[in-house]
Structure formats: C-alpha cells, structure tokens
C-alpha cells in the first residue's frame, strides 16, 4: 500500500511545554490570531529563544490558507533589516506548517500608545525607523497591507520591528485574496482597501499615517462608533487637526501627516523614501519638534513597569492569599460522552447513563462540573484530552465505555470509567462495573462516590443521600425516560409531541417516577409559553405534573425545579418560581439549566444585572451551550449593552464558527447599534462568506427592509409558502407591511385583511392573551381602523404590563408605539420610544434610525432629538 505523507486530515498534536518541533523545544504559547498561533521555543542547536508561528489546525486543510501562510514566511524571509523581524526557517510539523523567527522581547506599539505617551521627538524617531523597514519591504516588491500598532513591536533597546506579514502581497506572484474580499484592520485600512481595489505600497503609507496620527493625538483620525461609520469616515471625512489634541505640533508635521492621509493614492507620498526625507528634514530644521529636549521614554516605560511589579509584590505581602490557595479552589471536571460498545440502537442508553452520572456529580458542592451540553461537543472529536481540558478550563476528565448485554436471561450492563488528570494525562482512577441492569442506579452512585473519593472531595450528608437515590424500579419506564431525554437533547424540538408521548408512557408505567413528571412540566411549559398549545388543558396538565413531582420528590431538587418551571412558564408567578429554584440550587449548585432559568426569572422581574450574572455563571459551567450564549446575548442586547453582547458572540464563534444564530447576532448587533445601512450590507456579505449557504431568508428579508429594498423583500416572501410557516398570520401581516412601505394601498389591504381573519380568531379563542391583541392592533392600522387599533394595542399593555413581566411587557409597549406612530399620535409614540431606549427593551437607536415602521416620526423635531439623545448608547 502506498503511503501518503501529505495527509492533512490527521489529528494535530497539541503543542505543550517541552514538545519537540524539529530541534525547537516548546516553552509556552504567547499569542494567537486568525492566521497563526505563536509559541516561544528554545533552539536547542543554537541555544537561543525563538518564536514559532504555526498555521492553526482548522486551516491546515485549506490550500489557500497554507499558501498564504507560506507566502508570509517567504515575504518576511526575503527581508534582512533591523526594523523587520527576522525569519530563520520554514518547515512543517505533523502536516502543520510553521516558521521559526526572531523572538523580540519587548512591548507592542499598541501597548506603548495605551500605557505611555511618547513626546513628539520620540514619535518621529520611531516612525523614521518604521519607515526604514517599510522602504526595505517595498524595495523588495512586498506590500504589508496590515500596518497597525499591534503589528509593530518595540524591542528592549527601543527599536521598532515590523511583524506579521500574513496579509502581504509580493510583486510578481499570484494573487491569493478572493475577489471582493476585504483584508486589513478597519480604522487602519486605506480607502483603496475598503473599496476592495488593487493596492500597492502607498496603501501601507496611508496606514502608517493613521498610526502616526494616533501616536500624536492619542486617537484614530477617523474614529467612529462602529465599523461601517469608520469606513465611511475613511472614505469621505477629513481628519481633525493634530493641534486640537497635542500642543507643539508644527505646520510642517501637520502637512506630512495630511499628505500620508490623502484619500487619493496619487496625492499621497509615492514612496517611503520620500517620507523619510521629509521627516529627516523636519528634525533638522526643528531640532526639538515639541520645543523641548527628547525624553528617554523607553527607559521610563521600563521603570514604570518595574514600579508596577513592585506594587504587585507588595500587594501579595499585604493581603491574604486566599484566592490563589489551591485548597480553596474547587476541583473541576468534565464527563465526556461514554463510548457505546453495543449496537447503534443502544446509543441513547450510553448517552443517558453519561447524563445521569454527570447529574449526580453536579450535585456535589465541592466540584465544578461542566454540563452535558458542552461535553457532547467532544463526542468523536478526536481531540486530545489535554486540549479538551484546556478549552473547558477543567482539571480532570472522566471518560468511559458502556456495553449493554441483552443476550442472557438477565440484561446486564458493563461500565468502565476512567478518571484522568489533565495536567499530565495520568490516570487517577479506573475500574470495571459489571452488574445486572437492575443495579444500574447503584452503579451510577458508586461511580460518583468513587470519583469524589479519588478527588478528595468531602461529601455533605445530604449529598451522600442524593447519590444513592433510585428514582424507579421499573426499568422499562426508565428506558422510555432515557429515550425521551435523548430525543430532546439531540435537538429534535420539532418533535415535541413525541417527547411528551415518551414521558407520559414513562409515568403510566411508573406513577411514582418523579424525574419524568419534572420533565413533563418543562415540555408542557414549552408548549404553553410558545403558544403551540396555550390552552386551559395544557395549563392544567402542567400544574398536575408539577404538584405530583413535588409530592413524590420529597425535598429533592427535581420537585422544586418542576414547580418553579410551572410558575415561570405558565402561572407567571416569578416570586414563587424564584423560591423553588433557590431551594433546588442548594443541592444542585452546578446545574447550568437551573442557573439559566433563574436568570430568566430575574430578567422577567426586572433585575437585569442579576439576570446577566446568572447567565454568565451558567455559561461558565456550559461554555459551549449556544442556547445559554443566546440567552446572555439577548439579555445584554435588551440592556443596550451591545459591545458586551458582541464579545459573547465572538467567543461563541470561536467554538462554532458556522453557527447560524451567532452569525445572525454578529450581523444584527453592530447593524442595530449603528443604524448604518452600508454596514448592514457589508455585514451580510461577511455572513455569507462565513457559511456554505446563503443567509436565512428571514434575515435577508429584514436586511432588505432596513435598506428599503422592498421589491427584493417581496421576492423573498413570494418564494415562501405561507402554509409552511408556524403562523401564517405573520406571513400575511409582513407582506402587507412591505406593500404599505411601497405605497401600494390596495395590495397592502388585501394581505392585512387576511392576517386580520386569523388574529381575530386567536383573540376570540384567547381574549386574555396580550400576544394576540398587539399584532391585531397593527393589522387594524394597516386597514385604516385606527380606533380599533389603539383599543387593542392599549388593551395588550394592560393585559401584560411591564410591572408584571419586563420582557413581554416591553414588547407590548413596542407595538403600542408603532400603532401610535401610524395613527398620528406622534408625541405618545415618541414618549414610549424614549422610555424603551432608557429601559431594557429590544428597541435600539440604530434600529429606529433605519426601520421604515418609524417613518411617520422621521421629520418630527422630538424624534430627531431622541436619536441625538441616545446616539452614544452603544458605547456604554
């Protein structure tokens, strides 16, 4: 058989301390970016420290990325200059490209600008040296294309060095950048980069002009609230004079900076050599540009750093070290999905047993246990345990195998768990448990107890009792229960009826099986709160199941969770829900679902900061749960803390780069914050570049409406069969709105009337449900029935006031504001918008700036004042 040495599909070895890569010994990881991971290493041959830059594992199969990575090394290796980091070698390690380069001990220019403000003389001296390096690169036909402070490192001697040629182009070589793509860093990109035009060395000079301006002024020349606004400023706005931010700036220095920042490349410096000449002339004619002698800023920077270190050391001496004491830190653990050694039909059983063991361990107060949602991400991932532990930030990993033997007279189960210490990959404990299936709960308890012993975790008496709980003796019922949980956990939420059927089958076989009743409450609650089955029958079923669970569980967390879920989803008695969840949390401190639900209760009660804290805690226990991440993102979004929400989005995309929900938020957050249609269009393009499919139709249609491309929105709607939507009234209503924006009154009324028929039937069947009155009110507006519209919109706010539920109540106020706007009650509408922008709600200043539903208010002076009042909201 022929061996292939270029297999890029093999598992990449994790680079830990002392790993040998050729003749380099890894010391530690010191940096990471989109196109590389950088490690500090020792060159064992030449006895010196080097930096090794590796292509990230997930890009090793991308030929273009491999070529661009190789191109970076080739570009930098061609350059031998004191102001450019030196490349020693280009090679591969386990099919992973890397290159060895000079290790520069120092600070990035970004840190220098942030932590210290050099004088003008020092700035000119630094820029002159950077220019020397750029001149060398340009002479070799290399354009860097990503000049920015973080790509300039200041070494221990105060010498700047250019690094990261990952986006560089080399004259005379094939292009690697896809047509229409934008590469660079917004804020430092030249106008031609933003326009995705051909760039040359003059683009680097523009970026250097931005850096020079930032060093002098302490701010970017085209600073704006978001990417879209920044790009617009680079293309169209003139930077403010430097003298506004720095005294002593001469006219000649201002001229040099302005020439660098010319938007037309032909009016810019045509070479780095010309810039060097002007800077040297400036220093000759103006020996001290700032009018005072130069300061040894680098030595002062080092001294300041030394003082900070001394203060930190003093802090260690003055304050107790409780936080760093290993004895006070909870040991952390993840239970990976146990491997099923039986048939495929038994997969649900292995998943269920893993889940049960995780739940028992999660009940121990002395352990921090990662939730199953995150653990299942590593099923069949092939990732080494050390990497998994590092990603989840845990000390220990429990893995194992399960085989269910049904060949004999008595079904038997064989479980082989292994507890592994992540730091050194050593086995802490392992054993084999082979019992009759009737002993499965005993085995689960024994495994959890043995793990607690191995980790030296002290068990409270109540925890010992919970570990030994046997919820049922009916193994057929237990089998149905595991199948129901597996069906739900696999994401088959559309088959909610099937999950409920399996749970009801469980309770019919064992009427004392309280975990099944707890799960039934949750499923009925999902039906009710999402209006799948918002009926008295569903409400009664949920209440009966909650009361049964509470009665049977006898002070166990399942009963408290069941009753809390009922109060949260159905009765909306949030005080009672909180009481029940807090009782459950005493014995289940690691239950991320419980923490999430508690956060949602606080949110409904208007305690938004507390809600965000609970969701953040839940995400720590379940870091790969996109549901929890989405809840936190939505909470921060409602709080108008868009920047923080964006951080959660970007963190989630590191784990799931193609997650459509996260990609949606990645477009929506900055777009709604900026109110810039150009940005939305660019964001959509980036979204579609990030996925293998087109953006979801609903999002595309929303973007079309924001950008007033109504014909395009209608084309998307016409391709959608309304019978396939969960609620066809929404289809008719949205189509009616689009025709109204187009000014086609006749077509608009046709669709609004179709929606009216459906919403009126809903209101007649459930007259106390505010969710149905609000859309009916908006439909009446479209039909010109203004009095009825106001009547139903105001009724909705009385049925669901903010005082009762801040989430649902704010939605009713949004709808009322829309109705007031379209019936001519402009002041009332603006009053409501003012309230919604100053309190948690989905109304964002960028959204009302763009969306046509607010067009009736557009020219009102108070509306314009409102936009101005909250224009800086996204910066908070």
């Amino acid at each position: 058989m022929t061996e292939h040495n270029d297999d890029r599909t093999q598992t990449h070895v994790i680079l830990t301390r002392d790993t040998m890569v050729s003749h380099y010994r890894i010391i530690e990881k010191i940096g990471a970016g989109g196109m590389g991971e950088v490690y500090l290493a020792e060159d064992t041959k030449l006895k010196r420290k080097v930096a090794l830059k590796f292509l990230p594992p997930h890009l090793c199969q991308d030929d273009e990325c491999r070529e661009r990575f190789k191109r970076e090394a080739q570009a930098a290796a061609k350059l031998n200059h004191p102001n450019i980091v030196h490349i020693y070698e280009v090679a591969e390690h386990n099919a992973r490209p890397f290159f060895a380069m000079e290790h520069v001990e120092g600070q990035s220019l970004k840190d220098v600008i942030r932590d210290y403000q050099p004088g003008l003389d020092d700035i000119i001296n630094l820029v002159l040296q950077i220019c020397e390096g750029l001149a060398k690169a340009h002479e070799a036909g290399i354009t860097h294309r990503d000049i920015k402070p973080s790509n300039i490192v200041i070494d221990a001697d105060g010498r700047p060095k250019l690094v990261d040629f990952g986006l560089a182009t080399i004259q005379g070589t094939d292009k690697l950048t896809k047509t229409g793509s934008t590469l660079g860093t917004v804020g430092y990109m030249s106008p031609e980069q933003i326009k995705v035009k051909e760039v040359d060395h003059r683009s680097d000079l523009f970026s250097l002009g931005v850096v020079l301006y930032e060093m002098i002024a302490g701010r970017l020349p085209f600073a704006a609230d978001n990417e879209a606004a920044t790009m617009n400023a680079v293309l169209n706005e003139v930077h403010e004079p430097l003298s506004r931010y720095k005294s002593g700036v001469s006219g000649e220095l201002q001229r040099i900076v302005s020439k660098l920042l010319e938007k037309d490349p032909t009016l810019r410096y045509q070479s780095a050599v010309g810039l060097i000449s002007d800077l040297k002339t400036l220093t000759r004619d103006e020996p001290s540009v700032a009018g005072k002698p130069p300061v040894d800023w680098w030595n002062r920077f080092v001294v300041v750093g030394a003082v900070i270190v001394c203060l930190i050391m003093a802090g260690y001496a003055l304050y107790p070290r409780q936080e760093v004491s290993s004895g006070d830190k909870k040991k952390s653990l993840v239970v990976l999905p146990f491997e099923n050694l039986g048939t495929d039909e038994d997969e649900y059983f292995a998943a269920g047993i893993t889940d049960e063991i995780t739940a028992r361990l999660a009940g121990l107060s002395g352990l921090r246990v990662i939730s199953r949602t995150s653990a299942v991400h590593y099923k069949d991932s092939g990732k080494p345990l050390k990497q998994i532990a590092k990603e989840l930030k845990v000390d220990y990993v429990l893995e194992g195998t399960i085989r269910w033997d049904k060949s004999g007279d008595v079904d038997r189960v064989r479980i082989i768990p292994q507890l592994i210490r992540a730091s050194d990959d050593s086995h802490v404990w392992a054993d084999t448990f082979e019992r009759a299936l009737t002993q499965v709960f005993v085995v689960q308890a024994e495994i959890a107890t043995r793990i607690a012993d191995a980790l030296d975790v002290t068990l409270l008496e109540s925890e010992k009792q919970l570990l030994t709980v046997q919820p049922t003796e009916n193994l057929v019922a237990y089998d149905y229960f595991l199948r129901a949980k597996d069906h739900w956990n696999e994401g088959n939420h559309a088959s909610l009826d099937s999950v409920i059927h399996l749970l009801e089958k469980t309770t019919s076989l064992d009427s004392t099986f309280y975990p099944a009743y707890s799960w039934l409450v949750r499923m009925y609650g999902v039906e009710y709160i999402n209006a799948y089955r918002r009926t008295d029958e569903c409400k009664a079923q949920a209440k009966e199941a909650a009361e049964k669970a509470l009665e049977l569980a006898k002070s166990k967390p399942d009963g408290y969770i069941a009753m809390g879920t009922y109060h949260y989803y159905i009765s909306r008695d949030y005080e009672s829900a909180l009481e029940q969840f807090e009782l459950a949390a005493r014995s289940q401190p690691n239950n991320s679902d419980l923490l999430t639900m508690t956060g949602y209760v606080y949110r409904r009660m208007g305690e938004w900061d507390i809600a965000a804290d609970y969701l953040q805690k839940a995400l720590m226990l379940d870091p790969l749960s996109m549901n929890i991440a989405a809840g936190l993102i939505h909470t921060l979004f409602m709080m108008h803390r868009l920047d923080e929400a964006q951080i959660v989005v970007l963190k989630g995309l590191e784990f799931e780069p193609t997650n459509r929900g996260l990609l949606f938020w990645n477009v929506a957050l900055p777009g709604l914050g900026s109110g810039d249609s150009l940005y939305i269009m660019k964001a959509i393009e980036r979204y579609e570049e990030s996925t293998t499919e087109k953006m979801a139709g609903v999002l595309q249609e929303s973007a079309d409406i924001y950008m007033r491309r109504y014909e395009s929105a209608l084309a998307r709607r016409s391709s959608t069969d309304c019978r396939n939507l969960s609620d066809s009234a929404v289809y008719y209503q949205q189509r009616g709105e689009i025709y109204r924006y187009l000014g086609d009154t006749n077509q608009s009324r046709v669709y609004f009337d179709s929606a009216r028929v459906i919403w009126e039937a809903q209101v007649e069947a459930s007259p106390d449900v505010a969710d149905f009155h609000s859309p009916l009110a908006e439909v009446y507006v479209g039909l010109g029935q203004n009095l009825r519209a106001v009547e139903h919109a105001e009724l909705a706010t009385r049925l669901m006031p903010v005082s009762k539920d801040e989430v649902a109540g704010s939605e009713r106020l949004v709808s009322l504001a829309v109705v007031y706007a379209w019936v001519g009650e402009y002041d009332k509408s603006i009053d409501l918008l003012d309230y919604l922008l100053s309190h948690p709600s989905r109304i964002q200043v960028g959204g009302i700036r763009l969306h046509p539903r607010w067009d009736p208010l557009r020219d009102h002076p108070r509306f314009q004042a409102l936009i101005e009042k909250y224009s800086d909201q996204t910066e908070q």
Side-chain angles (χ1 to χ4, degrees):
M1 180 179 294
T2 304
E3 292 187 1
H4 296 280
N5 296 322
D6 61 346
D7 179 17
R8 301 174 194 164
T9 64
Q10 59 183 285
T11 301
H12 294 283
V13 177
I14 300 303
L15 301 172
T16 56
R17 186 178 182 86
D18 293 329
T19 300
M20 292 301 298
V21 177
S22 182
H23 56 284
Y24 304 107
R25 178 180 288 109
I26 297 293
I27 298 175
E28 62 179 339
K29 188 174 182 177
I30 57 176
M35 278 294 292
E37 296 176 347
V38 183
Y39 292 80
L40 178 63
E42 179 193 5
D43 184 335
T44 58
K45 289 184 178 180
L46 299 178
K47 302 301 180 184
R48 63 182 176 184
K49 287 183 179 179
V50 299
L52 302 183
K53 182 169 182 178
F54 289 80
L55 185 66
H58 67 281
L59 297 179
C60 288
Q61 298 180 51
D62 188 319
D63 289 332
E64 181 173 323
C65 288
R66 291 173 70 91
E67 186 60 28
R68 182 176 290 127
F69 187 84
K70 180 181 176 183
R71 185 71 56 79
E72 175 187 358
Q74 291 174 334
K78 292 175 66 175
L79 306 172
N80 184 10
H81 193 275
N83 297 116
I84 298 175
V85 70
H86 188 60
I87 302 297
Y88 300 135
E89 179 185 7
V90 181
E92 284 195 2
H93 175 69
N94 288 341
R96 189 176 177 187
F98 77 94
F99 57 82
M101 58 184 171
E102 172 188 8
H103 171 58
V104 182
E105 294 186 1
Q107 297 280 338
S108 75
L109 181 58
K110 179 180 179 180
D111 293 334
V112 171
I113 294 173
R114 182 194 64 210
D115 299 330
Y116 182 85
Q117 296 180 352
L120 288 175
D121 302 275
D122 308 308
I123 291 172
I124 299 303
N125 179 47
L126 282 172
V127 173
L128 266 170
Q129 294 182 69
I130 296 168
C131 280
E132 297 281 2
L134 270 182
K136 181 69 175 180
H138 295 166
E139 180 182 330
I142 297 170
T143 302
H144 190 285
R145 295 204 301 175
D146 201 17
I147 297 295
K148 58 184 178 181
S150 58
N151 283 341
I152 299 168
V153 179
I154 314 297
D155 69 17
D157 297 321
R159 181 191 300 113
K161 289 179 178 286
L162 289 170
V163 300
D164 202 342
F165 283 71
L167 300 182
T169 58
I170 305 175
Q171 188 175 352
T173 60
D174 295 333
K175 295 178 184 177
L176 287 175
T177 307
K178 295 177 181 177
T179 302
S181 65
T182 302
L183 294 176
T185 302
V186 173
Y188 298 93
M189 289 194 295
S190 65
E192 52 266 37
Q193 279 180 291
I194 292 174
K195 294 177 181 178
V196 199
K197 291 186 175 181
E198 193 77 12
V199 301
D200 56 24
H201 57 277
R202 293 172 297 182
S203 178
D204 283 348
L205 296 177
F206 182 95
S207 300
L208 181 60
V210 175
V211 173
L212 176 54
Y213 187 103
E214 184 181 10
M215 292 174 72
I216 297 171
R219 68 190 300 277
L220 292 172
F222 308 107
D225 294 339
N226 51 71
E227 286 189 5
T230 300
M231 290 189 288
N232 180 64
V234 172
L235 293 174
N236 301 307
E237 295 181 10
V238 178
H239 59 276
E240 294 179 338
L242 286 166
S243 56
R244 178 172 179 178
Y245 302 101
K246 186 86 169 181
S247 61
V249 176
S250 67
E252 178 60 11
L253 178 56
Q254 179 65 70
R255 184 195 67 79
I256 290 172
V257 174
S258 296
K259 188 171 182 179
L260 282 168
L261 296 178
E262 281 285 356
K263 302 186 188 302
D264 184 350
T266 63
L267 301 178
R268 223 174 281 155
Y269 280 98
Q270 298 301 292
S271 72
V273 174
L275 175 58
I276 291 169
S277 176
D278 278 1
L279 288 174
K280 286 184 175 180
T281 301
L282 176 69
T283 57
R284 183 197 66 191
D285 295 341
E286 299 176 35
S288 180
V289 181
K292 59 184 179 181
V295 178
D296 188 358
W297 64 272
W298 178 250
N299 286 336
R300 209 161 119 194
F301 185 80
V302 173
V303 170
V304 171
V307 171
I308 292 171
V309 170
C310 291
L311 289 174
I312 292 171
M313 294 303 292
Y316 269 100
L318 291 170
Y319 293 95
R321 304 185 187 185
Q322 294 178 350
E323 290 302 315
V324 297
S325 170
S326 60
D328 292 333
K329 180 186 175 185
K330 283 186 180 181
K331 294 182 175 68
S332 51
L333 171 76
V334 60
V335 182
L336 295 182
F338 281 20
E339 182 183 359
N340 171 37
L341 298 181
T343 65
D344 290 344
E345 295 177 355
D346 298 337
E347 187 64 37
Y348 78 94
F349 182 79
I353 296 298
T354 307
D355 200 10
E356 295 289 305
I357 292 173
T358 303
R360 289 180 187 256
L361 288 169
L364 306 183
S365 58
L367 269 181
R368 182 175 72 87
V369 181
I370 296 296
S371 297
R372 65 159 300 281
T373 315
S374 291
V376 296
H377 278 260
Y378 296 96
K379 181 178 174 62
D380 301 325
S381 71
K383 288 187 175 182
L385 294 184
K386 275 191 176 182
Q387 181 179 352
I388 294 173
K390 184 176 181 181
E391 290 179 0
L392 294 177
K393 297 181 174 59
V394 296
D395 307 313
Y396 298 89
V397 176
L398 179 68
E399 61 176 2
T401 61
I402 294 179
R403 184 187 295 277
W404 185 3
D405 184 3
K406 295 172 280 189
S407 60
D409 295 335
V410 178
D411 291 348
R412 300 184 67 80
V413 61
R414 185 181 192 187
I415 305 176
I416 305 177
Q418 301 179 79
L419 181 63
I420 299 167
R421 183 186 294 109
S423 60
D424 56 7
D425 232 2
S426 63
H427 283 69
V428 177
W429 167 81
D431 207 341
T432 300
F433 299 83
E434 186 167 355
R435 309 281 176 81
L437 189 59
T438 53
Q439 298 293 303
V440 67
F441 300 112
V442 176
V443 172
Q444 293 170 9
E446 192 170 344
I447 290 173
T449 303
R450 295 282 297 278
I451 289 170
D453 289 342
L455 296 179
D456 196 26
V457 174
T458 303
L459 299 182
L460 304 175
E461 191 58 39
S462 58
E463 293 172 344
K464 293 178 182 178
Q465 293 175 5
L466 281 175
L467 281 179
T468 59
V469 164
Q470 182 169 330
T472 183
E473 294 181 358
N474 190 320
L475 294 180
V476 178
Y478 184 60
D479 185 67
Y480 276 116
F481 179 64
L482 292 184
R483 290 179 186 273
K485 289 177 66 176
D486 184 65
H487 203 56
W488 180 258
N489 290 335
E490 285 297 318
N492 298 323
H493 297 191
S495 302
L496 186 57
D497 289 344
S498 299
V499 178
I500 291 174
H501 172 73
L502 288 167
L503 291 170
E504 289 176 340
K505 188 74 174 175
T506 302
T507 56
S508 69
L509 290 168
D510 182 355
S511 61
T512 66
F513 193 179
Y514 59 84
Y517 286 110
S518 186
W519 268 74
L520 268 174
V521 177
R522 181 178 176 184
M523 297 302 106
Y524 292 143
V526 170
E527 284 191 306
Y528 191 88
I529 200 168
N530 290 302
Y532 302 151
R533 193 166 65 99
R534 191 172 290 179
T535 63
D536 289 339
E537 179 193 29
C538 182
K539 187 174 182 177
Q541 287 176 312
K543 186 177 182 180
E544 181 183 357
E547 291 174 343
K548 191 76 171 176
L550 192 61
E551 174 193 348
L552 293 169
K554 295 188 173 82
S555 300
K556 295 183 180 67
D558 300 77
Y560 298 133
I561 291 172
M563 187 55 72
T565 302
Y566 169 76
H567 286 310
Y568 171 60
Y569 277 136
I570 295 175
S571 73
R572 293 183 184 268
D573 182 353
Y574 298 128
E575 293 285 354
S576 296
L578 200 57
E579 288 177 11
Q580 297 296 320
F581 288 154
E582 287 176 348
L583 287 170
R586 294 176 185 176
S587 51
Q588 288 200 349
N590 291 316
N591 188 329
S592 61
D593 285 341
L594 182 56
L595 288 168
T596 302
M597 292 276 280
T598 304
Y600 288 160
V601 171
Y602 275 116
R603 191 170 70 172
R604 301 269 177 178
M605 294 170 67
E607 299 286 354
W608 291 85
D609 288 323
I610 298 175
D613 287 343
Y614 267 92
L615 291 169
Q616 286 168 341
K617 290 176 184 176
L619 201 57
M620 287 178 64
L621 289 168
D622 205 350
L624 303 189
S625 170
M626 294 303 107
N627 287 333
I628 298 176
L632 178 57
I633 292 164
H634 185 252
T635 300
L636 294 170
F637 167 76
M638 294 275 285
M639 296 170 75
H640 310 294
R641 287 157 55 175
L642 304 193
D643 289 344
E644 293 176 56
Q646 189 74 22
I647 291 171
V648 181
V649 171
L650 296 176
K651 188 68 176 175
L653 287 172
E654 289 179 14
F655 290 109
E656 285 196 27
T658 59
N659 183 281
R660 292 180 66 174
L662 292 174
L663 288 169
F664 161 75
W665 279 112
N666 202 33
V667 171
L669 286 173
L672 291 175
S674 68
D676 191 320
S677 58
L678 173 64
Y679 180 86
I680 292 176
M681 185 169 63
K682 290 281 187 184
I684 290 172
E685 292 172 359
R686 286 198 299 274
Y687 179 107
E688 295 182 346
E689 287 175 1
S690 302
T691 61
T692 56
E693 58 187 343
K694 288 290 183 182
M695 184 180 292
V698 174
L699 184 54
Q700 286 177 315
E701 179 197 317
S702 297
D704 284 337
I705 292 173
Y706 271 106
M707 290 184 284
R708 301 174 184 268
R709 302 187 308 200
Y710 303 130
E711 296 291 352
S712 177
L714 284 174
R716 298 187 199 284
R717 274 279 154 187
S718 64
S719 66
T720 306
D721 183 352
C722 66
R723 292 171 298 180
N724 292 332
L725 298 177
S726 60
D727 191 344
S728 58
V730 173
Y731 169 84
Y732 293 125
Q733 183 170 343
Q734 290 183 348
R735 198 169 178 87
E737 287 178 0
I738 296 171
Y739 275 113
R740 178 172 63 185
Y741 300 145
L742 276 169
D744 190 335
T745 305
N746 291 333
Q747 281 289 82
S748 175
R749 285 177 176 272
V750 168
Y751 283 100
F752 276 132
D753 197 56
S754 296
R756 175 193 60 79
V757 173
I758 300 171
W759 287 127
E760 284 182 342
Q762 295 273 32
V763 167
E764 185 177 355
S766 306
D768 295 332
V769 178
D771 298 20
F772 300 148
H773 286 279
S774 289
L776 177 59
E778 294 182 40
V779 164
Y780 281 146
V781 168
L783 293 171
Q785 300 179 31
N786 292 354
L787 291 178
R788 299 183 73 180
V790 172
E791 176 188 350
H792 281 273
E794 292 180 342
L795 175 59
T797 64
R798 293 195 296 274
L799 290 170
M800 184 53 66
V802 173
S803 59
K804 182 178 181 180
D805 183 331
E806 283 220 1
V807 177
S810 71
E811 284 299 303
R812 306 287 69 81
L813 292 180
V814 171
S815 184
L816 180 59
V818 172
V819 169
Y820 279 152
W822 284 89
V823 302
E825 295 280 3
Y826 303 137
D827 285 320
K828 288 183 178 181
S829 181
I830 293 169
D831 287 342
L832 283 175
L833 288 176
D834 195 359
Y835 173 85
L836 291 165
L837 285 167
S838 61
H839 292 76
S841 77
R842 68 176 169 88
I843 291 296
Q844 307 293 337
V845 67
I848 64 173
R849 183 186 284 128
L850 275 183
H851 203 288
R853 68 163 56 98
W854 307 110
D855 280 357
L857 308 175
R858 195 71 57 197
D859 298 326
H860 197 292
R862 286 192 61 207
F863 183 78
Q864 295 297 328
L866 189 75
I867 295 291
E868 182 65 26
K869 177 181 177 181
Y870 292 101
S871 61
D872 63 344
Q873 189 177 68
T874 56
E875 297 176 359
Q876 297 175 1

